Amino acid sequence: MPNTIRHYSQVNDFTKKDFEEVLRRAKIFDVNGKDFTNVAPGKVLGLGFFQESTRTASGAESAIIRLGGGWNGIPSPAGSYVNIGEESMEDTLDSLSDSANILIVRHKSFDLTSYSKKATVPLINGMCGGDEHSAGAIGMGYTLKKKLGNIDNLKIGFYGMVKSSRPAKANIRLLAKYGATFYVDPVVSEFDTPEFIRKEAEAAGAKFVSAKLEDFIGEVDFLNVIEGLPQPGEDPKVLEQYNKKFKIMGKKDFARVRKDAAFYYCMPAMMTDGRTIVNIAEADADSRCLSHAMLREWTPVMMALITYLLDIKV
Amino acid sequence: MPNTIRHYSQVNDFTKKDFEEVLRRAKIFDVNGKDFTNVAPGKVLGLGFFQESTRTASGAESAIIRLGGGWNGIPSPAGSYVNIGEESMEDTLDSLSDSANILIVRHKSFDLTSYSKKATVPLINGMCGGDEHSAGAIGMGYTLKKKLGNIDNLKIGFYGMVKSSRPAKANIRLLAKYGATFYVDPVVSEFDTPEFIRKEAEAAGAKFVSAKLEDFIGEVDFLNVIEGLPQPGEDPKVLEQYNKKFKIMGKKDFARVRKDAAFYYCMPAMMTDGRTIVNIAEADADSRCLSHAMLREWTPVMMALITYLLDIKV
Amino acid sequence: MPNTIRHYSQVNDFTKKDFEEVLRRAKIFDVNGKDFTNVAPGKVLGLGFFQESTRTASGAESAIIRLGGGWNGIPSPAGSYVNIGEESMEDTLDSLSDSANILIVRHKSFDLTSYSKKATVPLINGMCGGDEHSAGAIGMGYTLKKKLGNIDNLKIGFYGMVKSSRPAKANIRLLAKYGATFYVDPVVSEFDTPEFIRKEAEAAGAKFVSAKLEDFIGEVDFLNVIEGLPQPGEDPKVLEQYNKKFKIMGKKDFARVRKDAAFYYCMPAMMTDGRTIVNIAEADADSRCLSHAMLREWTPVMMALITYLLDIKV
């Protein structure tokens, strides 16, 4: 039985056709003020957030409310048996599944894809495990397509710690399916795209170019500035080097981005030294900056993903 | 006025007739995918969880969502004035009552039955006070009846720390009303059924048999394996003895349970030494194991209990 | 665009006419058991509670549920990036705005009025910044009007630390617009009404009388007993003096309040020495005590405020 359930436990659970269908649905839901509460009345989205979340959780909660249902479960790491060491992730997710129609999960290391083989309800990866913010990647894909018209064969620039960024790694996996060419400046080489992600993306049709930000900032269709908060366990010396060399961009730098291109800074936008990865006010003032557009459109994208996995006609 | 409000602050607030009515309603709600949002539109279930909860809270939240309402209040102990010592339980519950139609409460020691005399909305005991998980007991009753056909005059086996288990003590109180015979192996005598519970259950029509697990495992209609997490204050030496003597059951042991019987392991299924009380994978693979069936059916049971206490026709 | 959005970031964002409209709506919603879920189906109230809340959060959650929507965001300080120092309040609120139709915010010091100039959704001050519980003040106004018939030109008594009480300061600002005369006994002079609040209220038409509780308790239309929990940073010696001199009132004292007057004790009603600011049981037993009436009516008041700010016809 569980084998017939659709999951989105990782980007590679979906083909390009799946993504196209989710993007089609998101467009339908991306209308302010329209009442969609008849789409999934009384349906329950279970939250399993074993790491902090502001944006992913709020948008997911908003999505199920707008669809006519509600959310339950564990919206933040404080106050769960997992947190106090009295229960395993598997047992907790098994139990959350018993009262929800679909789950969204965040955890620093849990392997959601392995778990999906025995899961009893559809799973959404809301940044779970070390390698992906899978749900976030669809949000990025939707907003990018809305802004640029299409997302095939794009030139994508990454500036920052790709290796440590689960959103960035998910974005690479998704856009690889659309034939992207990635220009990567990891600031320090230790934070470059992991070899296994690069090889996998190349096999899917992507190309990688190692370059300096200044060499591709004016070339790319989409510039992605990565959050400066590494995964636990990074070498403090490498991080110090990173913080020292990292260039906080503002208005003058964005002026070098092509007029018909877009850019994005990840959130939370903090670095470990307390600075923000861009001048946020100057970024937000630029109509090519998609950070908040992506968050605003994240709710309809989640509505699309939830209805798709629940097999609700839209 | 408060005196006319129905409460379920303890198992003994309900007669067998009350339980039968709740079980009748639960059966109506126990249908996947059916829309019940017209049953209690806009009704609010207030949560007062002053101890951790995964299953009880999630199922209760799910129940009110499926009924067309929503939940508010204190879903976990972190972040309440009670938690930081600035307010009493009474004052907090009084205030939660002002914005909710019905409350569900969990607390390690609070006497919900005394409080119910002045309460202004119906109360549900979601494991409140030292003696009961009253709401859980109805869930057990429902699933057991669904599985076995009826719950009258059952032979029930308990293996584990009955004394410390609020779910077990509530199950005894409820099934006593149905004429159960209880076979109890508390592993170490210190964890045997408390005298006052035993006497009360006997007065209600129950019988108790002290025996070893191996002597009743093949006899009972329902085997209940109790969680290994004692209430605070247990003697560490007794607990050490308990952990040492406790037998973790698996496939081979379940093979000794009657083919037409059922069994159950409590969750969280952890012991204080980090082991789980049964081999969970082997238990879950057995169709006679009701642990997850009970959780899946817990949402309709809560829908039944909420509508009954709110006097909504079903 | 943001400039056309209505906010209630502070009492002075609203004119008397605005308050009258909110009170008119609250009366419509102040009906038990009536279904209003067609008023705001699928609308989302975003919570940004960066300090504890029991009553304000629960009532706001209840309001949006009763209107047919739901709530998301940060319901308690534990478990947010702001809490763990990884994100600023501005950036967090910007992001919460992206998935909600309206926000309610609590923070010890954040300046919500300044922030409102760039906010993208309507804001409600749920005790934000050092000076006001703005939303609470409307609740007080509604219940007072319901009880007394009108709230023009009232004689209002305050007993306690006005300076430290955000609810009291908001009440002064709101009732000043209705021509109130305030009789203030701060127990110790250090906790008297701040000069800037007094001057502002006088400019709006209010009068202030410094007096002892015993001199005005039998005179006022409404006696307000203030919570005994000061804002952080108060001099411990002043607080010790305060606790020593503060008179815990009970039945005998309430007997001195006029028969046709009303009184109120703030909640949480705790003092720093562990006592409660009044004898709560005796206060609650008095039909002139509005503390719980105010909480019960707080949900319809929030329904009124939310629909007004969202420009939904009622």
Side-chain angles (χ1 to χ4, degrees):
Chain A
M1 276 282 278
N3 295 333
T4 67
I5 298 172
R6 284 305 302 263
H7 299 289
Y8 185 59
S9 74
Q10 58 177 345
V11 168
N12 289 334
D13 283 354
F14 273 17
T15 62
K16 190 172 166 180
K17 202 179 144 195
D18 291 315
F19 287 116
E20 289 298 307
E21 172 58 15
V22 175
L23 298 184
R24 182 190 71 79
R25 288 165 179 248
K27 198 173 173 183
I28 292 169
F29 293 125
D30 187 10
V31 181
N32 279 333
K34 194 164 171 187
D35 180 4
F36 291 106
T37 55
N38 63 335
V39 175
K43 295 293 181 199
V44 177
L45 172 70
L47 306 184
F49 278 84
F50 301 95
Q51 288 189 290
E52 317 291 345
S53 173
T54 295
R55 281 153 283 268
T56 304
S58 292
E61 291 160 356
S62 194
I64 194 70
I65 293 165
R66 286 191 60 199
L67 290 167
W71 55 271
N72 74 354
I74 297 170
S76 79
S80 70
Y81 289 112
V82 170
N83 191 246
I84 61 177
E86 292 194 353
E87 193 160 32
S88 73
M89 274 293 289
E90 278 87 353
D91 293 345
T92 299
L93 294 180
D94 283 357
S95 293
L96 291 176
S97 302
D98 290 330
S99 70
N101 297 102
I102 182 169
L103 294 187
I104 180 165
V105 184
R106 171 169 295 193
H107 188 276
K108 63 182 186 300
S109 60
F110 187 70
D111 181 349
L112 200 64
T113 302
S114 295
Y115 175 73
S116 73
K117 294 182 179 70
K118 63 162 273 200
T120 56
V121 299
L123 303 173
I124 296 173
N125 180 324
M127 200 156 84
C128 193
D131 292 330
E132 280 195 22
H133 189 336
S134 324
I138 314 187
M140 185 272 316
Y142 177 76
T143 299
L144 207 49
K145 188 173 182 177
K146 185 173 170 183
K147 181 73 174 178
L148 301 181
N150 90 87
I151 51 174
D152 285 297
N153 308 312
L154 292 181
K155 286 184 275 181
I156 308 287
F158 281 103
Y159 182 61
M161 44 178 76
V162 176
K163 181 190 143 196
S164 285
S165 169
R166 295 185 281 179
K169 288 182 281 187
N171 290 353
I172 286 172
R173 277 178 159 152
L174 190 148
L175 289 170
K177 295 180 194 291
Y178 285 84
T181 300
F182 300 108
Y183 298 79
V184 182
D185 179 352
V187 183
V188 297
S189 59
E190 285 87 347
F191 286 123
D192 206 349
T193 319
E195 179 88 353
F196 76 99
I197 301 257
R198 192 173 56 71
K199 289 203 167 159
E200 189 197 299
E202 284 171 348
K207 292 193 193 73
F208 282 81
V209 179
S210 288
K212 285 286 157 199
L213 172 65
E214 58 194 49
D215 295 328
F216 63 72
I217 189 169
E219 296 296 319
V220 294
D221 298 299
F222 181 55
L223 174 66
N224 202 313
V225 186
I226 295 170
E227 70 274 17
L229 301 167
Q231 293 294 91
E234 285 303 337
D235 183 344
K237 280 181 192 158
V238 171
L239 197 55
E240 199 187 323
Q241 272 298 305
Y242 181 88
N243 285 344
K244 202 171 154 185
K245 290 192 179 179
F246 188 88
K247 177 187 169 57
I248 309 287
M249 285 187 269
K251 207 174 164 179
K252 281 186 188 172
D253 306 283
F254 304 140
R256 298 172 60 198
V257 174
R258 275 176 22 221
K259 292 276 176 265
D260 63 339
F263 67 94
Y264 170 80
Y265 64 90
C266 260
M267 291 183 263
M270 201 74 87
M271 304 193 62
T272 55
D273 57 13
R275 296 178 301 163
T276 54
I277 55 172
V278 295
N279 179 319
I280 289 178
E282 292 180 7
D284 287 348
D286 191 311
S287 66
R288 296 166 303 168
C289 179
L290 302 184
S291 296
H292 281 288
M294 209 170 285
L295 288 181
R296 283 191 300 272
E297 292 153 18
W298 166 244
T299 296
V301 167
M302 283 302 293
M303 294 167 78
L305 182 57
I306 289 168
T307 57
Y308 184 55
L309 292 173
L310 288 179
D311 202 19
I312 294 171
K313 228 175 188 136
V314 173
Chain B
M1 278 282 278
N3 294 334
T4 67
I5 298 173
R6 283 307 301 264
H7 298 290
Y8 185 59
S9 74
Q10 57 176 345
V11 167
N12 289 335
D13 283 353
F14 274 17
T15 63
K16 192 172 164 179
K17 202 180 143 194
D18 291 316
F19 287 117
E20 289 298 306
E21 171 58 15
V22 175
L23 298 183
R24 183 191 71 79
R25 288 166 179 246
K27 199 174 172 182
I28 292 169
F29 293 125
D30 188 11
V31 181
N32 279 334
K34 194 165 170 187
D35 181 3
F36 291 106
T37 55
N38 62 334
V39 175
K43 295 292 182 200
V44 177
L45 172 69
L47 306 184
F49 279 85
F50 301 95
Q51 288 189 291
E52 317 289 346
S53 173
T54 296
R55 281 155 283 270
T56 305
S58 292
E61 291 159 356
S62 193
I64 194 70
I65 292 165
R66 287 191 59 199
L67 290 168
W71 55 272
N72 73 354
I74 297 169
S76 80
S80 70
Y81 288 112
V82 170
N83 192 246
I84 60 177
E86 291 195 353
E87 193 159 34
S88 73
M89 275 294 287
E90 279 87 352
D91 294 345
T92 299
L93 294 180
D94 283 357
S95 293
L96 291 176
S97 301
D98 290 330
S99 71
N101 298 102
I102 181 168
L103 293 188
I104 181 165
V105 185
R106 170 168 295 190
H107 188 273
K108 63 181 185 301
S109 59
F110 186 71
D111 182 349
L112 200 64
T113 303
S114 295
Y115 175 74
S116 73
K117 294 182 179 69
K118 61 162 275 200
T120 56
V121 299
L123 302 174
I124 296 173
N125 180 323
M127 201 156 84
C128 194
D131 292 330
E132 281 194 21
H133 190 335
S134 324
I138 314 187
M140 186 272 316
Y142 177 77
T143 298
L144 207 49
K145 188 173 182 177
K146 186 174 171 183
K147 180 73 174 179
L148 301 181
N150 90 86
I151 51 174
D152 285 296
N153 308 312
L154 293 182
K155 286 185 277 182
I156 308 286
F158 281 103
Y159 182 62
M161 43 177 77
V162 176
K163 182 189 142 197
S164 286
S165 169
R166 295 184 280 179
K169 289 182 281 187
N171 290 353
I172 286 173
R173 276 178 159 150
L174 189 150
L175 289 170
K177 295 180 195 290
Y178 286 84
T181 300
F182 300 108
Y183 297 80
V184 181
D185 179 352
V187 184
V188 297
S189 60
E190 284 86 347
F191 286 122
D192 207 348
T193 319
E195 181 88 353
F196 77 99
I197 301 257
R198 193 174 55 72
K199 288 203 165 157
E200 188 198 298
E202 284 171 348
K207 292 192 195 73
F208 281 80
V209 179
S210 288
K212 285 285 156 201
L213 172 65
E214 58 194 48
D215 296 328
F216 62 73
I217 189 168
E219 297 296 319
V220 294
D221 299 299
F222 181 55
L223 174 66
N224 202 313
V225 186
I226 295 169
E227 69 274 18
L229 301 168
Q231 294 293 92
E234 286 302 337
D235 183 342
K237 279 181 192 159
V238 171
L239 196 57
E240 200 187 323
Q241 272 298 305
Y242 181 89
N243 285 344
K244 203 171 154 184
K245 291 192 179 178
F246 188 89
K247 177 186 168 56
I248 309 287
M249 286 187 269
K251 207 173 163 180
K252 281 186 187 172
D253 307 283
F254 304 139
R256 299 171 61 198
V257 174
R258 275 174 25 219
K259 291 275 176 266
D260 62 339
F263 68 93
Y264 170 80
Y265 64 90
C266 259
M267 291 182 263
M270 201 74 85
M271 304 193 60
T272 56
D273 58 12
R275 297 177 299 163
T276 54
I277 56 171
V278 295
N279 180 318
I280 289 178
E282 292 181 8
D284 287 348
D286 191 312
S287 66
R288 297 166 302 167
C289 179
L290 302 185
S291 296
H292 281 288
M294 208 171 286
L295 287 182
R296 282 190 300 273
E297 292 153 17
W298 165 244
T299 296
V301 167
M302 283 301 295
M303 293 167 77
L305 182 57
I306 289 167
T307 56
Y308 184 54
L309 292 173
L310 288 178
D311 202 20
I312 293 171
K313 224 170 192 145
V314 173
Chain C
M1 276 281 279
N3 294 335
T4 67
I5 298 172
R6 283 306 301 263
H7 297 290
Y8 185 58
S9 73
Q10 57 176 346
V11 168
N12 290 334
D13 282 354
F14 273 18
T15 62
K16 192 172 166 180
K17 202 179 144 195
D18 291 315
F19 287 117
E20 289 297 307
E21 172 58 16
V22 175
L23 299 183
R24 183 190 71 78
R25 288 166 178 246
K27 199 173 174 183
I28 292 169
F29 292 124
D30 187 11
V31 181
N32 278 333
K34 194 164 171 187
D35 180 3
F36 292 106
T37 54
N38 62 334
V39 175
K43 294 293 182 200
V44 176
L45 172 69
L47 306 184
F49 278 84
F50 301 95
Q51 288 189 291
E52 317 290 344
S53 172
T54 296
R55 283 154 282 269
T56 304
S58 292
E61 290 160 356
S62 194
I64 193 71
I65 292 166
R66 287 192 59 201
L67 290 168
W71 55 272
N72 74 353
I74 297 169
S76 79
S80 70
Y81 288 113
V82 170
N83 192 245
I84 60 177
E86 291 195 354
E87 193 160 33
S88 73
M89 275 293 288
E90 278 88 352
D91 294 344
T92 299
L93 294 180
D94 283 356
S95 294
L96 291 176
S97 302
D98 290 330
S99 70
N101 297 103
I102 181 168
L103 294 187
I104 180 165
V105 184
R106 171 170 295 191
H107 189 274
K108 63 181 186 302
S109 59
F110 186 71
D111 181 350
L112 201 63
T113 303
S114 295
Y115 175 73
S116 74
K117 294 183 179 68
K118 62 163 274 197
T120 56
V121 299
L123 302 173
I124 296 173
N125 180 324
M127 200 157 83
C128 194
D131 292 329
E132 281 195 19
H133 190 336
S134 324
I138 314 188
M140 185 271 317
Y142 177 77
T143 298
L144 207 49
K145 187 172 182 177
K146 186 174 169 182
K147 180 73 175 178
L148 301 181
N150 90 86
I151 51 174
D152 285 297
N153 307 312
L154 293 181
K155 286 185 275 181
I156 308 286
F158 280 104
Y159 182 62
M161 45 176 77
V162 176
K163 180 189 143 196
S164 286
S165 170
R166 295 185 281 179
K169 289 182 280 186
N171 290 354
I172 287 173
R173 277 179 158 150
L174 189 149
L175 289 170
K177 295 181 195 289
Y178 285 83
T181 300
F182 299 108
Y183 298 79
V184 182
D185 179 351
V187 184
V188 296
S189 59
E190 285 86 348
F191 286 122
D192 206 348
T193 319
E195 180 87 353
F196 77 100
I197 301 258
R198 192 173 56 70
K199 289 204 165 158
E200 188 197 298
E202 285 171 348
K207 292 192 194 74
F208 282 81
V209 179
S210 288
K212 285 285 156 200
L213 173 65
E214 58 194 48
D215 295 329
F216 63 72
I217 189 169
E219 298 295 319
V220 294
D221 298 299
F222 181 55
L223 174 67
N224 203 313
V225 186
I226 295 169
E227 69 276 16
L229 300 168
Q231 294 292 93
E234 285 303 337
D235 183 344
K237 281 181 191 158
V238 171
L239 197 56
E240 199 188 323
Q241 272 299 306
Y242 181 89
N243 285 345
K244 203 172 155 185
K245 291 191 178 178
F246 188 90
K247 177 185 167 59
I248 309 286
M249 285 188 268
K251 208 174 163 179
K252 281 187 187 171
D253 306 284
F254 304 140
R256 299 172 61 199
V257 175
R258 275 175 24 219
K259 292 275 175 265
D260 63 339
F263 68 93
Y264 171 81
Y265 64 89
C266 258
M267 290 183 264
M270 201 73 86
M271 304 194 60
T272 55
D273 58 13
R275 297 178 299 163
T276 54
I277 55 171
V278 295
N279 180 318
I280 288 178
E282 293 181 7
D284 287 347
D286 191 313
S287 66
R288 297 166 302 167
C289 179
L290 301 185
S291 296
H292 281 289
M294 209 171 286
L295 287 182
R296 283 192 299 272
E297 293 154 16
W298 166 243
T299 296
V301 167
M302 283 302 293
M303 293 167 78
L305 182 57
I306 289 167
T307 57
Y308 184 54
L309 292 172
L310 287 179
D311 202 20
I312 293 172
K313 226 174 189 138
V314 173

